[in-house]
Amino acid sequence: MALGKYSRVDGRKSSTNYCSTVTIVVFVALCLVGVWMMTSSSVVPVQNSDVASQEGNNDVNESARVSENNSDNASNENKNVNSESSSNGNENKPNQFEDNPGDLPEDATKGDNNVSSNSQEKLPQENQEKSGEENREEEKRSEDGSKSGNENGETKTDEKDSEAGETNGSNANGGESGDDNKSVENSDETKDVDKEDSQKDKKDTVSDQDSGQKKENNQTTEVFPSGAQSELLNETTTQNGSFSTQAAESKNEKESQQSSEPENQSGTSWKLCNVTAGPDYIPCLDNLEAIKNLRTTKHYEHRERHCPDDPPTCLVPLPEGYQRSIEWPASREKIWYHNVPHTKLAQIKGHQNWVKVSGEYLTFPGGGTQFKHGALHYIDFIQQSVPDIAWGKRSRVVLDVGCGVASFGGFLFDRDVLTMSLAPKDEHEAQVQFALERGIPAISAVMGTKRLPFPGRVFDVVHCARCRVPWHIEGGKLLLELNRLLRPGGYFVWSATPVYQKIPEDAQIWEAMKKLTKSMCWESVSITKDRVNGVGIAIYRKPTTNECYEQRSQNEPPLCEESDDPNAAWNVPLQACMHKVPVAESERGSQWPELCPARVDKPPYWLSSSQVGVYGKPAPEDFAVDFKHWKRVVTNSYAKGLGINWSTVRNVMDMRAVYGGFAAALKDMNVWVMNIVSIDAPDTLPIIYERGLFGMYHDWCESFSTYPRSYDLLHADHLFSKVKNKCNFNAFVAEVDRTLRPEGKIIVRDKVEMINELESIFKSLHWEIRMTYSKDKEGLLCAQKTVWRPKESEIVSYALA
């Protein structure tokens, strides 16, 4: 039977028991002396539970430093942090994910975002004694902090730096110290001797613990907002508010539209698409089976979208020799030839300075058919002709029809202007692909039989430089589509041969255009000739009132019916009519938006407090809260906490944009953002344009009208879970893979269950999982696409000739 804690040695005990007892006492005494010497030594650190935890952190930090290629800056930063934490014990607390991202090495941010940057080995000798004495206080604060964190529902998973994550996790939750405490409790004599000192330590650290907890509670993790902002993520409990959906708007405008919702497919095995288009495959534009069955192509029907009933679930191959895209702004002047290995356009348009072949590069001198001597001169000449255009101030969002390689839009960035460039996928081989590879916004689209996927009255300027669009035919149906898109008071810039050439065909077109624009009440503001480029430019202005419409002697072109919704744009047939100009102060289009840069921050004047926003608040408040939320997340999380090198990011897509707050928060970065509003989501795209941003409608059950490898970064806020409920999910993931460039990133915010599923799917694509994060059943995932492609191929019958 074991002796009691304070049992005395009785003389009646045997000599053997007596000797054993003496031996134990001597051993315990020696242990206590050893402990005392270790705790009081200024050279040897204390070897207790805190040191065990600290050594775990040392291993993590050493690993992080190695992954950062032994960066001197990172080492110096760790030294500074260690010095501060050792001298200010009450300030020492676990790093928050977003509050201190600068403490993390680049590779560590891929996974474990709470890795401590303390390093006992780097402490000066004069500080090690103090650090040893305060380690017990730090351990208690760490335990209390982890309990508080667990009570708040914060959890975190590390998929890359698993060893670092396990070490840090045991430290944060008191795992290692718990084992050591257990061993101390089993030593009764030690517990008795140290009781007084531990009580004193506990008393001294109470105030420090309270202070640390208060500071931790004040630091919110920005991945998911706290307080009032958390309501922003609770959209599932609200209705669409005052905003109807694009699908509802378009339904009454179309002759027929049937949605196809194929059943979800299971499995995560992937095959390579075997298609005629090869690495340039766009499913909805390369549907050869549907194109062959068209009754006519005279209205460019064969260039329009024809999405397959069963979207492909295969992966698009890479061009041979593909390499990482050149970064902006150098990419505006040159791209890798092997990334877009097409030379036809260089052969046809090389003399017009569109594109030239130069060794392993394709170069872009900045010219075009109408501005062979450079886009910037051409852009400035337009403003000299009509100063009220005021690039970057009054005119912020431009539509460039028939854009070529989009040099016009590429150089308008120098004037702080966003340009939506579009051109068909036609015999001008890869023109839109060139634009996207250069880092310039562009989509593959054609003005044929359907409205373009934009709301009405949103573009400040529409531009056409010899875009080969027959504006004057069939009652001006195509020009009337531009009238729908153009903001009242906005300008149409037409640079084409009929403006300045006198050959019979051009003269005939010019007369027809003069008659058409006059009947549309467009004011002819300027007709001038650019002597440098040798071209003429005609500039028209859309009216801001209905006075001219009402005074016309003939109703030609006719005004649209009152029931015709100008915002309805998804698969809606073109109509040869004009919509009236809004005149009521509360109507969108009755006033010009705020001048830039204030335009991006302020709620539009026509948003009323009586309107219910997407998240259930009054619309202006909804707008403001959304913007505040994304500014905070981008500043404190995305820009610093995800380990993304933003200098490599140029083309960004917000796959579920709502008010465009994410894009607005990126406005000071050297990127552009394509804002997508799903057709079954609240129609907030007019708001996005009103704040000087751009985007388009889309149905994510179908392929997007862009070339493969178009975007550096995709952002999906609660989109995947919505798509899974109605679309072929594997096809959607394949479309995400098609759209994203190799080494491109995707940031997904969604339910934890969806994040876990996506993590598994992305791994099956051989993507790198950079980090995952979860809190309150919500999660965040950041992944990076690799160059991996499957070896097996799948024949896509409708895409083969």
Side-chain angles (χ1 to χ4, degrees):
M1 182 175 181
L3 294 176
K5 187 174 183 181
Y6 296 104
S7 296
R8 299 174 182 270
V9 179
D10 200 322
R12 290 174 295 180
K13 300 291 182 179
S14 64
S15 59
T16 301
N17 292 339
Y18 179 81
C19 293
S20 299
T21 304
V22 171
T23 300
I24 292 173
V25 171
V26 172
F27 177 77
V28 169
L30 290 174
C31 290
L32 293 176
V33 171
V35 170
W36 176 80
M37 292 177 65
M38 294 167 67
T39 56
S40 62
S41 175
S42 62
V43 176
V44 182
V46 181
Q47 298 297 320
N48 59 10
S49 63
D50 300 306
V51 173
S53 299
Q54 186 67 35
E55 289 177 347
N57 283 338
N58 290 341
D59 293 339
V60 172
N61 289 325
E62 195 63 30
S63 174
R65 284 192 294 274
V66 170
S67 67
E68 206 174 31
N69 297 323
N70 296 320
S71 170
D72 292 338
N73 293 335
S75 299
N76 293 335
E77 185 176 349
N78 285 338
K79 289 180 182 179
N80 294 336
V81 173
N82 291 333
S83 177
E84 292 175 6
S85 62
S86 62
S87 62
N88 297 288
N90 62 337
E91 293 293 328
N92 208 350
K93 54 182 177 293
N95 289 336
Q96 294 294 322
F97 168 66
E98 295 170 339
D99 294 332
N100 294 301
D103 296 341
L104 302 178
E106 181 177 356
D107 287 349
T109 60
K110 296 178 181 178
D112 186 9
N113 291 281
N114 277 343
V115 177
S116 173
S117 57
N118 295 335
S119 178
Q120 185 73 22
E121 296 175 350
K122 299 296 182 179
L123 284 173
Q125 288 189 356
E126 60 268 24
N127 289 339
Q128 289 185 5
E129 179 179 0
K130 188 171 184 178
S131 177
E133 292 173 352
E134 292 179 347
N135 272 338
R136 289 190 297 275
E137 296 178 6
E138 170 61 21
E139 177 63 21
K140 293 176 183 178
R141 285 193 297 275
S142 178
E143 292 177 357
D144 291 341
S146 65
K147 291 179 182 179
S148 174
N150 291 335
E151 290 174 358
N152 290 333
E154 297 184 19
T155 59
K156 187 173 58 152
T157 60
D158 181 6
E159 297 301 336
K160 178 154 181 72
D161 301 326
S162 58
E163 182 179 354
E166 291 171 2
T167 303
N168 189 58
S170 60
N171 180 32
N173 292 291
E176 294 180 6
S177 62
D179 293 339
D180 289 344
N181 287 337
K182 183 176 180 180
S183 65
V184 173
E185 290 175 2
N186 290 336
S187 178
D188 296 328
E189 290 82 5
T190 303
K191 180 177 180 180
D192 183 60
V193 172
D194 290 339
K195 182 176 181 181
E196 182 177 354
D197 291 337
S198 64
Q199 288 178 346
K200 182 179 179 180
D201 291 340
K202 182 176 181 181
K203 181 177 180 180
D204 292 338
T205 59
V206 167
S207 61
D208 291 341
Q209 292 175 14
D210 293 340
S211 176
Q213 289 180 0
K214 288 179 181 179
K215 292 181 179 180
E216 289 179 5
N217 290 336
N218 288 334
Q219 291 184 352
T220 60
T221 300
E222 306 301 340
V223 179
F224 297 104
S226 61
Q229 291 190 21
S230 64
E231 300 172 10
L232 202 61
L233 300 177
N234 197 24
E235 185 190 350
T236 54
T237 63
T238 66
Q239 302 299 319
N240 290 335
S242 298
F243 307 108
S244 62
T245 67
Q246 175 61 204
E249 292 167 352
S250 298
K251 184 177 180 180
N252 295 329
E253 303 296 332
K254 297 177 296 184
E255 294 181 357
S256 64
Q257 177 181 352
Q258 296 179 347
S259 61
S260 174
E261 298 181 2
E263 296 180 358
N264 290 337
Q265 298 179 356
S266 59
T268 54
S269 61
W270 304 97
K271 294 183 179 181
L272 214 58
C273 296
N274 184 359
V275 292
T276 303
D280 299 336
Y281 179 44
I282 304 176
C284 289
L285 299 183
D286 294 320
N287 188 349
L288 301 182
E289 181 180 342
I291 293 173
K292 284 193 301 183
N293 294 327
L294 291 174
R295 292 177 295 179
T296 178
T297 60
K298 69 177 183 178
H299 293 105
Y300 277 77
E301 290 90 342
H302 57 301
R303 306 297 186 194
E304 294 182 321
R305 289 171 58 85
H306 301 283
C307 297
D309 293 333
D310 296 320
T313 57
C314 53
L315 306 182
V316 176
L318 295 179
E320 185 177 352
Y322 181 88
Q323 52 191 317
R324 179 177 175 179
S325 299
I326 296 173
E327 296 177 10
W328 181 271
S331 62
R332 185 168 62 180
E333 274 70 42
K334 65 179 181 179
I335 63 174
W336 296 113
Y337 164 77
H338 288 293
N339 286 12
V340 191
H342 302 295
T343 59
K344 184 176 180 180
L345 202 59
Q347 296 168 3
I348 298 174
K349 298 291 186 179
H351 67 287
Q352 296 175 353
N353 285 340
W354 279 33
V355 56
K356 297 179 180 292
V357 180
S358 178
E360 59 182 351
Y361 299 105
L362 292 169
T363 61
F364 302 87
T369 303
Q370 300 300 98
F371 41 93
K372 291 177 288 186
H373 297 285
L376 277 179
H377 166 78
Y378 176 79
I379 289 167
D380 291 340
F381 179 79
I382 292 173
Q383 180 164 308
Q384 291 169 9
S385 302
V386 183
D388 285 346
I389 279 185
W391 298 124
K393 297 294 183 182
R394 184 181 187 273
S395 298
R396 162 70 176 172
V397 187
V398 174
L399 177 66
D400 188 15
V401 181
C403 63
V405 295
S407 290
F408 179 71
F411 283 91
L412 271 173
F413 278 110
D414 292 355
R415 302 294 182 262
D416 198 24
V417 175
L418 287 176
T419 307
M420 177 74 73
S421 300
L422 65 89
K425 186 178 183 181
D426 59 8
E427 63 271 11
H428 279 174
E429 192 176 34
Q431 53 187 333
V432 167
Q433 191 175 18
F434 284 140
L436 290 164
E437 184 69 17
R438 296 173 69 189
I440 303 172
I443 61 169
S444 291
V446 64
M447 298 192 69
T449 65
K450 299 176 183 177
R451 291 179 177 178
L452 293 171
F454 314 117
R457 305 187 298 269
V458 291
F459 288 102
D460 305 331
V461 175
V462 177
H463 173 258
C464 163
R466 204 171 183 177
C467 53
R468 302 194 309 162
V469 177
W471 301 116
H472 61 290
I473 67 172
E474 297 186 353
K477 182 180 293 187
L478 300 182
L479 195 63
L480 290 168
E481 170 63 0
L482 294 190
N483 187 73
R484 180 184 72 87
L485 300 175
L486 192 58
R487 190 182 301 279
Y491 294 97
F492 174 59
V493 179
W494 189 40
S495 170
T497 55
V499 179
Y500 59 95
Q501 289 187 358
K502 303 301 182 183
I503 61 176
E505 182 182 3
D506 284 336
Q508 183 179 2
I509 294 174
W510 175 245
E511 291 301 322
M513 280 292 286
K514 285 200 301 182
K515 181 180 179 181
L516 176 61
T517 53
K518 183 178 180 180
S519 65
M520 292 171 58
C521 295
W522 282 11
E523 177 188 359
S524 178
V525 179
S526 172
I527 301 174
T528 55
K529 187 169 183 177
D530 179 4
R531 299 297 177 183
V532 174
N533 288 305
V535 300
I537 303 175
I539 302 176
Y540 302 91
R541 184 171 183 263
K542 182 178 176 178
T544 56
T545 69
N546 294 309
E547 182 178 356
C548 175
Y549 297 150
E550 296 168 352
Q551 294 178 352
R552 291 185 305 167
S553 58
Q554 294 182 343
N555 189 29
E556 189 66 34
L559 293 176
C560 298
E561 299 290 337
E562 293 291 338
S563 60
D564 191 305
D565 187 352
N567 295 318
W570 190 250
N571 291 335
V572 175
L574 291 175
Q575 296 187 54
C577 65
M578 295 185 299
H579 297 88
K580 285 186 176 182
V581 173
V583 292
E585 292 184 359
S586 60
E587 287 187 87
R588 179 175 65 87
S590 61
Q591 303 177 34
W592 198 263
E594 292 272 352
L595 298 181
C596 293
R599 181 171 170 178
V600 71
D601 298 339
K602 294 184 179 180
Y605 66 88
W606 43 267
L607 277 187
S608 170
S609 296
S610 62
Q611 295 175 288
V612 179
V614 174
Y615 304 110
K617 301 178 179 64
E621 181 183 348
D622 232 31
F623 176 98
V625 171
D626 176 85
F627 186 31
K628 181 179 179 181
H629 161 68
W630 288 116
K631 281 199 300 184
R632 189 173 184 180
V633 169
V634 167
T635 301
N636 296 333
S637 174
Y638 292 178
K640 299 181 292 185
L642 299 185
I644 295 176
N645 180 4
W646 284 89
S647 67
T648 66
V649 177
R650 174 61 181 172
N651 303 353
V652 179
M653 177 187 289
D654 191 356
M655 303 176 73
R656 181 174 174 268
V658 190
Y659 296 113
F662 170 66
L666 293 176
K667 66 178 181 178
D668 294 328
M669 293 190 180
N670 208 11
V671 303
W672 61 268
V673 182
M674 177 69 76
N675 294 283
I676 303 299
V677 173
S678 299
I679 63 168
D680 57 350
D683 186 7
T684 52
L685 193 52
I687 298 175
I688 292 173
Y689 275 92
E690 196 75 8
R691 66 193 307 184
L693 306 171
F694 64 15
M696 58 187 292
Y697 298 116
H698 185 58
D699 181 356
W700 281 119
C701 291
E702 299 178 357
S703 169
F704 189 69
S705 291
T706 192
Y707 280 86
R709 304 170 302 280
S710 293
Y711 287 87
D712 302 301
L713 178 70
L714 301 179
H715 182 257
D717 180 24
H718 289 77
L719 174 67
F720 279 85
S721 56
K722 295 179 181 296
V723 170
K724 187 173 183 180
N725 294 330
K726 64 169 189 164
C727 304
N728 183 325
F729 195 63
N730 279 4
F732 176 57
V733 173
E735 176 64 9
V736 169
D737 177 271
R738 191 187 71 86
T739 305
L740 193 61
R741 287 175 174 171
E743 298 191 35
K745 283 83 172 175
I746 184 170
I747 302 173
V748 181
R749 304 167 68 91
D750 219 306
K751 300 175 182 177
V752 169
E753 297 81 6
M754 188 73 260
I755 294 296
N756 294 336
E757 182 176 351
L758 281 176
E759 184 176 349
S760 176
I761 293 175
F762 289 162
K763 285 181 178 179
S764 73
L765 290 165
H766 295 249
W767 288 13
E768 176 188 347
I769 306 300
R770 298 178 63 86
M771 66 87 64
T772 58
Y773 183 93
S774 62
K775 176 183 178 181
D776 299 334
K777 298 182 179 180
E778 295 287 335
L780 181 143
L781 181 150
C782 181
Q784 177 174 301
K785 180 180 174 180
T786 64
V787 295
W788 176 84
R789 297 287 87 178
K791 295 182 179 180
E792 296 185 35
S793 63
E794 173 185 341
I795 297 177
V796 183
S797 59
Y798 51 78
L800 289 174

